[in-house]
Amino acid sequence: VKDYNEDRVSIIMNITKPNYKGKWPKCSYFGVFDGHGGDACSNFLKDNMHKYVIAILVRSQKINIFLLNLYKHLSWVQESLKLIHELAEAQNPPEKSGSCAIVILIID
Protein backbone atom coordinates (compact mmCIF):
# COMPACT_ATOMS: atom_id res chain seq x y z
CA VAL A 1 0.00 0.00 0.00
CA LYS A 2 1.42 3.35 -1.01
CA ASP A 3 0.68 6.55 0.88
CA TYR A 4 0.70 8.83 -2.20
CA ASN A 5 -1.29 9.16 -5.40
CA GLU A 6 0.10 10.10 -8.80
CA ASP A 7 -3.28 10.16 -10.57
CA ARG A 8 -4.90 13.44 -11.57
CA VAL A 9 -8.23 14.63 -12.99
CA SER A 10 -9.24 17.75 -14.90
CA ILE A 11 -12.86 18.83 -15.35
CA ILE A 12 -13.90 21.99 -17.18
CA MET A 13 -17.63 22.49 -17.53
CA ASN A 14 -18.96 24.95 -20.12
CA ILE A 15 -15.67 26.08 -21.63
CA THR A 16 -15.76 29.85 -22.10
CA LYS A 17 -15.95 31.00 -25.71
CA PRO A 18 -12.43 31.80 -26.91
CA ASN A 19 -11.60 33.86 -30.01
CA TYR A 20 -13.85 31.83 -32.30
CA LYS A 21 -15.64 33.05 -35.44
CA GLY A 22 -18.48 30.52 -35.52
CA LYS A 23 -21.28 29.79 -33.07
CA TRP A 24 -19.58 28.47 -29.95
CA PRO A 25 -21.25 25.29 -28.68
CA LYS A 26 -21.60 24.18 -25.11
CA CYS A 27 -18.36 22.23 -24.49
CA SER A 28 -17.26 20.28 -21.43
CA TYR A 29 -13.84 18.67 -21.00
CA PHE A 30 -12.94 15.71 -18.80
CA GLY A 31 -9.46 14.22 -18.42
CA VAL A 32 -8.15 11.40 -16.24
CA PHE A 33 -4.38 10.97 -15.98
CA ASP A 34 -2.91 7.80 -14.50
CA GLY A 35 0.51 8.86 -13.32
CA HIS A 36 3.34 6.45 -12.61
CA GLY A 37 6.92 6.85 -11.41
CA GLY A 38 6.03 10.26 -9.93
CA ASP A 39 3.38 12.91 -10.48
CA ALA A 40 5.18 15.50 -12.64
CA CYS A 41 3.86 14.17 -15.95
CA SER A 42 0.26 13.70 -14.77
CA ASN A 43 0.35 17.19 -13.21
CA PHE A 44 1.56 18.68 -16.50
CA LEU A 45 -1.19 16.93 -18.46
CA LYS A 46 -3.86 17.97 -15.93
CA ASP A 47 -2.78 21.59 -16.19
CA ASN A 48 -2.17 21.79 -19.95
CA MET A 49 -3.87 19.19 -22.14
CA HIS A 50 -7.20 21.06 -22.25
CA LYS A 51 -5.41 24.11 -23.69
CA TYR A 52 -4.25 22.08 -26.69
CA VAL A 53 -7.67 20.52 -27.23
CA ILE A 54 -9.36 23.95 -27.13
CA ALA A 55 -6.75 25.44 -29.47
CA ILE A 56 -7.44 22.72 -32.04
CA LEU A 57 -11.19 23.29 -31.66
CA VAL A 58 -10.71 27.03 -32.28
CA ARG A 59 -8.49 26.41 -35.33
CA SER A 60 -11.17 24.14 -36.77
CA GLN A 61 -13.66 27.04 -36.88
CA LYS A 62 -16.43 24.50 -37.47
CA ILE A 63 -17.32 21.83 -34.96
CA ASN A 64 -17.82 19.17 -37.64
CA ILE A 65 -14.18 19.60 -38.72
CA PHE A 66 -12.83 19.38 -35.17
CA LEU A 67 -12.24 15.63 -34.97
CA LEU A 68 -10.54 15.56 -38.35
CA ASN A 69 -8.23 18.38 -37.27
CA LEU A 70 -7.59 16.78 -33.89
CA TYR A 71 -6.47 13.60 -35.61
CA LYS A 72 -4.40 15.33 -38.30
CA HIS A 73 -2.77 18.00 -36.15
CA LEU A 74 -1.55 16.23 -33.05
CA SER A 75 1.66 18.26 -33.05
CA TRP A 76 0.70 19.30 -29.52
CA VAL A 77 1.63 15.77 -28.46
CA GLN A 78 5.16 16.30 -29.73
CA GLU A 79 5.30 19.80 -28.22
CA SER A 80 4.07 18.49 -24.87
CA LEU A 81 6.48 15.58 -24.85
CA LYS A 82 9.37 17.90 -25.65
CA LEU A 83 8.39 20.30 -22.85
CA ILE A 84 7.84 17.44 -20.38
CA HIS A 85 11.25 16.01 -21.32
CA GLU A 86 12.95 19.40 -20.85
CA LEU A 87 11.28 19.91 -17.46
CA ALA A 88 12.19 16.38 -16.40
CA GLU A 89 15.83 16.71 -17.44
CA ALA A 90 16.14 20.01 -15.54
CA GLN A 91 15.43 18.19 -12.25
CA ASN A 92 18.26 16.82 -10.18
CA PRO A 93 18.03 13.85 -10.38
CA PRO A 94 16.07 13.82 -13.64
CA GLU A 95 12.29 13.23 -13.32
CA LYS A 96 11.28 9.77 -14.56
CA SER A 97 7.47 9.95 -14.32
CA GLY A 98 4.91 9.13 -17.00
CA SER A 99 1.17 9.01 -17.42
CA CYS A 100 -1.62 7.36 -19.33
CA ALA A 101 -4.48 9.66 -20.30
CA ILE A 102 -8.09 9.49 -21.36
CA VAL A 103 -9.84 12.68 -22.41
CA ILE A 104 -13.45 13.31 -23.33
CA LEU A 105 -14.78 16.49 -24.93
CA ILE A 106 -18.56 16.70 -24.91
CA ILE A 107 -19.94 19.15 -27.47
CA ASP A 108 -23.60 20.18 -27.21
Side-chain angles (χ1 to χ4, degrees), residues 8 16-17 19 22-23 27 32 34 45 53 58 67 70 72 76 80-81 91 94-95 97 99-100:
R8 300 294 181 262
T16 305
K17 180 181 177 180
N19 185 13
K23 179 183 177 239
C27 298
V32 177
D34 180 10
L45 293 172
V53 171
V58 168
L67 288 177
L70 183 61
K72 285 184 172 181
W76 63 268
S80 295
L81 290 174
Q91 303 292 317
E95 173 65 40
S97 69
S99 181
C100 296

Side-chain angles (χ1 to χ4, degrees), residues 25-100:
K26 181 178 178 182
C27 298
S28 296
Y29 168 93
F30 304 86
V32 177
F33 309 100
D34 180 10
H36 48 269
D39 63 2
C41 184
S42 56
N43 281 332
F44 177 86
L45 293 172
K46 173 187 71 88
D47 294 338
N48 294 288
M49 186 173 270
H50 68 280
K51 297 173 189 174
Y52 297 111
V53 171
I54 293 167
I56 293 169
L57 181 58
V58 168
R59 272 184 277 183
S60 300
Q61 293 300 317
K62 291 184 179 178
I63 300 305
N64 60 350
I65 301 174
F66 170 70
L67 288 177
L68 179 63
N69 282 345
L70 183 61
Y71 179 76
K72 285 184 172 181
H73 302 289
L74 287 179
S75 61
W76 63 268
V77 171
Q78 294 171 334
E79 293 168 16
S80 295
L81 290 174
K82 182 179 177 187
L83 183 54
I84 290 169
H85 181 74
E86 290 171 359
L87 293 171
E89 289 296 315
Q91 303 292 317
N92 189 8
E95 173 65 40
K96 301 282 188 194
S97 69
S99 181
C100 296

